[in-house]
Amino acid sequence: MSTRLLRKRPARIGPATLSAIVLLALAVGLGWAGIAALVATGSAAAPLTGTSTAEAAGGLHWNSALVIAVGVVLALLGLVALILGLSPGARRILGVSADGSDHIDDFEVAMPTSALSQIAAAAADGVDGVSGVKASSNAKSTIVTFSTPIRDSEPIRAEVEAAVKDRFAAISFDRTPAVKVQARRSQS
Amino acid sequence: MAPTLDDAPARRGGLTIADKVVERTAGQVLKDLPGVGGTSSGLFGIGASSSLDTRPSVDVTLSGRSCTLAVQLGLAYPTPIAEATERLRTTLSAEVERLTGVTVRQVDISVRWLAPDSSGANRGRNRLQ
Amino acid sequence: MRRTAAAANRTGLIILGLIAMALGLAVLAIGFGLTASIDPALEAGADLGPVASVLALPYSALIAVIAALILAVIGLRWLSAQVPRKDFAKPFRMQADSRTGLTTVNAEVIAEAVAADLESADGVSDAQVILRGTARRPELLIHVAADERADIDAIIADTAQRAAGNASLALGAPLSAVALEIAIARTRSRRQRTVNIQ
């Protein structure tokens, strides 16, 4: 199998949906103006002018603030869209190595980065003295932030780090993610 | 030999086998096979349930003294589907022919569900843990 | 795990980005007087009259409506491409000889059985399976939600050995590809679990 079944990079569904909606809005605006002009004049040769916006636009100067602003916004949005289209984006899954079996020709296992965070948070949460945990991950590392009511948090920090690292070590990742643990004093 | 056989029923009087009879017979044969089940039709599909204890549904198309069967059934999982249905097809044709005297030309089988052998109990136990 | 329009999205974004950027830069170039040397009419102080006058041309309303329709079709198709598709395999034909009858199994039926089988494993709280390919070369796409503390490697091994073995037995062919994505099930809240006494 040459194509991978699991998608490694984001599919840009959000930006694509937004762009599609913008295109649709443009279509509605343009269609509305066109039909309005056609109906108003009652002839197929009707021009689009007569709308107040068209007239107002005709009166603007190229170096007016509004035109410059529109140019800047268009150029920036275009740049963002271009970058979103070209850049591969953050990896959303981590490879996990797995022995196949006689029943499978090609076995591919992966874990999304969100699962990594949840596993790390659960492992940290099991440590005594931890009152709350947050974890965030990318494909290479996980940052665990825990809160504790205890003033000297260093021993707990070490314990949390060991717990998370132990948990990760028990999973045969292709590349075990690095673990970084931060303590935050909780007021309670 | 052959002519006497052919003539025999005609002389004794006509024998008509209704679709329903073949259908019932086929259903009963299937029900008795292990690892084969059906779906009980609830009212308008509500309350329909699938189990290995239910009789599979069979549609019979009779044409003269031969028929084709269309069977909708469920199988125990895991079973080799191709082999199981092939075996089932042979058994079903043979049994229906033996019991009703109607030749079975084709058995179309549509597998509607696959379920673990002791479906309900097994799953419940695992869920509870 | 479902098929989405990743490639189409990126192509669309690149095209749209290039158009928007070109338009924006062109407006800026005129606005800052960079184009005055090319055409005196495109001077920074000039008004947008020439652009607006395009709209006064005959048939421009009709052209606008046609352009709107094209834009609407592109927009709608792009939008509908975002809906994830499962792309199950066509119903499998599994008979030995079609003259004695056909055996038909929907891919969903097998996928459901595999999912139920996976869910019976320890530490797996939910499984979703998509079956693609053909009866001879089946491909399984599996999404498993494991418990937070589940033994992930054990789940992988169980999938590879038991679940894949059962699927392959049922289908009568080795699985040509299996992709397994393991997520973590959101179960009990953190606070509840800390007071859990057993």
Side-chain angles (χ1 to χ4, degrees):
Chain A
M1 277 247 344
S2 54
T3 54
R4 311 302 275 168
L5 287 167
L6 296 174
R7 194 164 39 77
K8 292 205 166 50
R9 306 284 182 176
R12 305 291 189 218
I13 289 171
T17 307
L18 201 68
S19 309
I21 290 171
V22 168
L23 283 186
L24 279 176
L26 269 177
V28 168
L30 205 58
W32 181 264
I35 289 169
L38 284 176
V39 168
T41 50
S43 114
L48 203 55
T49 44
T51 56
S52 49
T53 39
E55 238 131 75
L60 286 171
H61 291 269
W62 283 108
N63 58 358
S64 68
L66 184 65
V67 174
I68 298 283
V70 167
V72 168
V73 168
L74 263 180
L76 281 181
L77 283 178
L79 187 67
V80 169
L82 196 63
I83 290 170
L84 284 173
L86 289 174
S87 79
R91 285 182 64 110
R92 56 170 286 280
I93 54 172
L94 277 89
V96 180
S97 64
D99 306 325
S101 66
D102 303 341
H103 320 295
I104 306 174
D105 295 341
D106 180 20
F107 193 33
E108 184 189 346
V109 183
M111 198 179 254
T113 51
S114 58
L116 200 64
S117 301
Q118 283 168 284
I119 286 179
D125 197 48
V127 175
D128 186 38
V130 171
S131 60
V133 192
K134 270 186 198 147
S136 67
S137 310
N138 57 29
K140 284 185 184 146
S141 65
T142 295
I143 298 173
V144 180
T145 311
F146 71 92
S147 49
T148 174
I150 294 155
R151 198 164 297 126
D152 180 16
S153 60
E154 182 47 35
I156 297 179
R157 202 202 62 81
E159 214 178 317
V160 167
E161 189 172 323
V164 176
K165 279 187 171 164
D166 264 11
R167 183 72 175 105
F168 281 2
I171 303 169
S172 32
F173 290 109
D174 288 341
R175 275 172 64 192
T176 304
V179 178
K180 201 175 166 225
V181 180
Q182 298 164 341
R184 211 186 48 223
R185 181 83 193 280
S186 66
Q187 308 292 320
S188 61
Chain B
M1 201 61 190
T4 43
L5 258 182
D6 270 358
D7 289 343
R11 255 184 278 127
R12 276 189 245 138
L15 172 68
T16 321
I17 305 261
D19 294 23
K20 278 268 172 268
V21 176
V22 181
E23 217 171 280
R24 278 296 165 97
T25 314
Q28 198 52 48
V29 170
L30 286 170
K31 189 177 183 296
D32 293 342
L33 293 172
V36 178
T39 305
S40 65
S41 55
L43 194 64
F44 304 117
I46 301 162
S49 68
S50 308
S51 86
L52 293 170
D53 305 324
T54 315
R55 182 193 295 231
S57 77
V58 183
D59 271 332
V60 178
T61 315
L62 258 177
S63 48
R65 294 200 59 80
S66 68
C67 69
T68 58
L69 302 179
V71 184
Q72 294 185 3
L73 47 70
L75 291 176
Y77 182 86
T79 315
I81 299 170
E83 288 165 38
T85 52
E86 217 53 56
R87 238 187 352 258
L88 197 142
R89 181 173 285 128
T90 336
T91 317
L92 186 61
S93 315
E95 284 294 287
V96 168
E97 273 186 61
R98 187 177 69 83
L99 293 168
T100 64
V102 177
T103 318
V104 178
R105 285 195 188 284
Q106 270 180 7
V107 182
D108 285 342
I109 301 172
S110 168
V111 181
R112 285 312 174 89
W113 51 264
L114 299 163
D117 219 331
S118 51
S119 35
N122 200 11
R123 264 212 244 168
R125 187 167 44 106
N126 283 309
R127 283 279 164 80
L128 277 175
Q129 291 185 336
Chain C
M1 85 183 269
R2 295 169 187 181
R3 262 175 216 180
T4 44
N9 284 353
R10 287 170 180 277
T11 317
L13 283 170
I14 290 170
I15 293 172
L16 215 61
L18 283 177
I19 292 173
M21 213 162 73
L23 278 177
L25 289 180
V27 168
L28 288 180
I30 301 171
F32 288 118
L34 300 176
T35 49
S37 53
I38 304 166
D39 185 348
L42 294 174
E43 190 221 346
D47 61 26
L48 269 64
V51 179
S53 68
V54 173
L55 304 178
L57 293 175
Y59 291 105
S60 63
L62 198 63
I63 293 169
V65 171
I66 294 167
L69 282 177
I70 295 171
L71 275 180
V73 168
I74 296 173
L76 282 176
R77 286 197 58 173
W78 200 8
L79 207 59
S80 66
Q82 307 309 316
V83 179
R85 289 168 297 140
K86 288 191 173 180
D87 280 351
F88 271 103
K90 292 199 181 70
F92 287 164
R93 299 276 189 207
M94 302 183 73
Q95 69 279 355
D97 179 358
S98 58
R99 279 172 301 178
T100 56
L102 302 172
T103 299
T104 317
V105 194
N106 277 345
E108 285 91 336
V109 167
I110 301 168
E112 252 170 55
V114 176
D117 198 19
L118 283 163
E119 281 170 8
S120 73
D122 269 351
V124 176
S125 66
D126 182 53
Q128 289 174 346
V129 177
I130 292 175
L131 182 59
R132 294 194 185 135
T134 61
R136 295 271 174 76
R137 295 185 56 76
E139 290 175 13
L140 282 182
L141 206 54
I142 304 173
H143 189 275
V144 153
D147 299 335
E148 282 177 342
R149 283 150 216 275
D151 184 345
I152 304 293
D153 280 10
I155 291 176
I156 296 171
D158 179 73
T159 306
Q161 299 297 330
R162 191 183 56 84
N166 286 344
S168 150
L169 175 73
L171 288 162
L175 306 171
S176 88
V178 175
L180 171 64
E181 185 170 318
I182 304 171
I184 302 300
R186 298 190 176 278
T187 42
R188 298 151 290 182
S189 80
R190 204 132 272 156
R191 198 142 297 284
Q192 236 179 320
R193 205 179 41 231
T194 49
V195 292
N196 198 11
I197 299 162
Q198 289 197 324

